[in-house]
Structures are given as C-alpha cells and as structure tokens.
Amino acid sequence: MRIKVKVKPNAKKEEIKKIEDDYYEVKVTVVPEKGKANKKVVELLSKYFKVPKSRIVLVRGETSREKIFDIQEL
C-alpha cells in the first residue's frame, strides 16, 4: 500500500490524522534535522498500521514535508 503523508514537525503532540484513503497528516514533536522527524514518522506509522518499522519505506520526499511511503502489509 502506498500512502502520501504531510508531516508537521515541532508539534505540541504526536498524532496521525487520516485526510483521505491514501493521504495522512502526521504531527511529530521532534525537529526536522538529520532525519529525526522521518524516523519518528516511521515509528508512528508502524504503530498506526500495526506493521514492523522494517516494512515501511520512504519512497519520496526525504527533505520535504510531503512524503510518499510504501507500507508492506503482513
């Protein structure tokens, strides 16, 4: 499954909001430097979709707020 994610770093609390079937807004409390925010997004998506972090791959948007992730379901 491929999803689009809009990341909002430096948020007050962490949450995932489903906007459309394949579009999500993810708020993280960490700063977007050295991939910290990307790691946190993968962590949150892992919990949300109940899949291991190793099954979530960032396809596009490493330095952008708009990202595309591939989630390989079990």
Side-chain angles (χ1 to χ4, degrees):
M1 164 172 74
R2 188 166 277 200
I3 62 166
K4 291 180 225 157
V5 174
K6 182 173 186 167
V7 178
K8 295 201 173 182
N10 287 330
K12 290 191 191 308
K13 64 178 184 172
E14 295 175 341
E15 67 178 340
I16 295 180
K17 190 189 322 182
K18 185 174 183 176
I19 309 294
E20 292 175 16
D21 282 345
D22 65 342
Y23 189 62
Y24 294 81
E25 182 180 270
V26 179
K27 294 180 181 178
V28 293
T29 56
V30 293
V31 291
E33 59 184 32
K34 297 181 183 169
K36 290 179 188 173
N38 288 343
K39 283 182 185 168
K40 196 65 177 174
V41 169
V42 168
E43 215 174 276
L44 291 173
L45 289 174
S46 169
K47 289 177 187 170
Y48 184 83
F49 289 106
K50 295 175 178 64
V51 296
K53 289 184 267 187
S54 60
R55 293 195 166 266
I56 299 174
V57 179
L58 177 59
V59 177
R60 193 180 316 144
E62 193 168 322
T63 59
S64 169
R65 287 183 184 206
E66 295 282 334
K67 302 180 186 300
I68 296 178
F69 285 94
D70 241 350
I71 299 174
Q72 302 153 1
E73 297 180 56
L74 300 172

